[in-house]
Amino acid sequence: DTGVSQDPRHKITKRGQNVTFRCDPISEHNRLYWYRQTLGQGPEFLTYFQNEAQLEKSRLLSDRFSAERPKGSFSTLEIQRTEQGDSAMYLCASSLGSASTDTQYFGPGTRLTVL
Amino acid sequence: QKEVEQNSGPLSVPEGAIASLNCTYSDRGSQSFFWYRQYSGKSPELIMSIYSNGDKEDGRFTAQLNKASQYVSLLIRDSQPSDSATYLCAVNIGYGNKLVFGAGTILRVKS
């Protein structure tokens, strides 16, 4: 257990529905990252926050995806009008600061299945 | 060319042998390199980080970095069946320190 928690751990939804995932980082960590992982691939970067500011979004993050980190604590990732191609493991990671040597610690992930 | 490349394997080694996992990357400006272990259905777990050319040892694990060749490797000595997992190479790229991962190498240690 790294201290990063995610909820829910599993989500099954029907195509077209909206889903929201939550991530609680390690308490003193300023940076929070979201990644997506599909079977047989490594995690792919989606977006990251420095405190409450969202500083970068990947081209993978279509306009159906939105992420927030109010008050610089927990973060939510919402997917609107889900598609079957959204089925994946959604991983949250946090790190202490902005140094390139900072280690990112991953939560257990949320596995999304879109039927 | 992918930013981070790994041989997908599977790499099979007998128990007690040395497992050698390799990774190449394309961004010459990369400064930080990480190896994560991922068991099936679980999230990545940090094994090693390395930032300078040369070797870094931690228990049975040794990470090796050669920035001139854009190459990083992980050696696992005295491999155990519990080491069977997918090993992900990750490179820190860009201002935001986002990690770019390889697709991972599947390691199987046979007892």
Side-chain angles (χ1 to χ4, degrees):
Chain A
D1 184 359
T2 62
V4 180
S5 62
Q6 292 186 246
D7 185 69
R9 298 288 301 274
H10 303 274
K11 179 70 176 178
I12 300 174
T13 191
K14 293 182 178 180
R15 187 179 55 181
Q17 297 295 305
N18 299 342
V19 294
T20 300
F21 309 141
R22 175 177 170 130
C23 171
D24 286 87
I26 296 171
S27 60
E28 64 269 25
H29 283 190
N30 296 318
R31 286 267 175 122
L32 187 148
Y33 301 79
W34 285 98
Y35 293 85
R36 180 174 67 186
Q37 186 176 25
T38 54
L39 195 62
Q41 300 299 316
E44 295 176 294
F45 169 79
L46 293 178
T47 188
Y48 86 93
F49 294 83
Q50 171 78 30
N51 298 315
E52 66 275 11
Q54 186 175 18
L55 298 185
E56 186 176 348
K57 294 192 291 185
S58 163
R59 289 170 296 177
L60 293 175
L61 215 63
S62 75
D63 56 6
R64 296 186 297 107
F65 288 72
S66 62
E68 295 182 340
R69 193 184 181 195
K71 302 179 182 179
S73 55
F74 70 92
S75 176
T76 59
L77 177 68
E78 180 182 18
I79 309 174
Q80 296 182 328
R81 305 181 303 281
T82 52
E83 302 173 356
Q84 289 185 326
D86 297 331
S87 295
M89 173 81 89
Y90 289 83
L91 295 162
C92 174
S94 70
S95 69
L96 186 60
S98 58
S100 63
T101 54
D102 277 2
T103 298
Q104 293 183 29
Y105 296 94
F106 284 84
T110 294
R111 183 168 296 283
L112 172 66
T113 302
V114 181
L115 301 177
Chain B
Q1 181 186 7
K2 292 183 179 179
E3 292 179 279
V4 179
E5 296 206 51
Q6 296 180 254
N7 187 323
S8 62
L11 173 65
S12 293
V13 300
E15 184 175 358
I18 296 175
S20 177
L21 305 165
N22 305 313
C23 172
T24 58
Y25 60 95
S26 61
D27 184 352
R28 285 195 171 274
S30 299
Q31 297 295 319
S32 304
F33 307 87
F34 304 86
W35 283 99
Y36 285 84
R37 178 176 63 197
Q38 187 172 29
Y39 292 112
S40 180
K42 303 296 185 182
S43 64
E45 170 193 11
L46 181 72
I47 297 296
M48 293 280 290
S49 59
I50 187 165
Y51 313 115
S52 304
N53 280 327
D55 295 358
K56 178 182 178 182
E57 186 174 321
D58 184 0
R60 297 187 296 113
F61 300 95
T62 299
Q64 299 174 318
L65 176 60
N66 184 325
K67 290 184 179 180
S69 300
Q70 296 175 244
Y71 174 92
V72 59
S73 65
L74 179 70
L75 300 178
I76 306 174
R77 291 181 299 280
D78 188 24
S79 295
Q80 302 296 310
S82 60
D83 294 327
S84 298
T86 297
Y87 288 81
L88 297 164
C89 172
V91 179
N92 183 311
I93 290 179
Y95 176 75
N97 294 338
K98 66 183 180 185
L99 294 178
V100 177
F101 285 83
T105 298
I106 298 170
L107 174 65
R108 293 178 181 158
V109 181
K110 298 182 178 180
S111 58

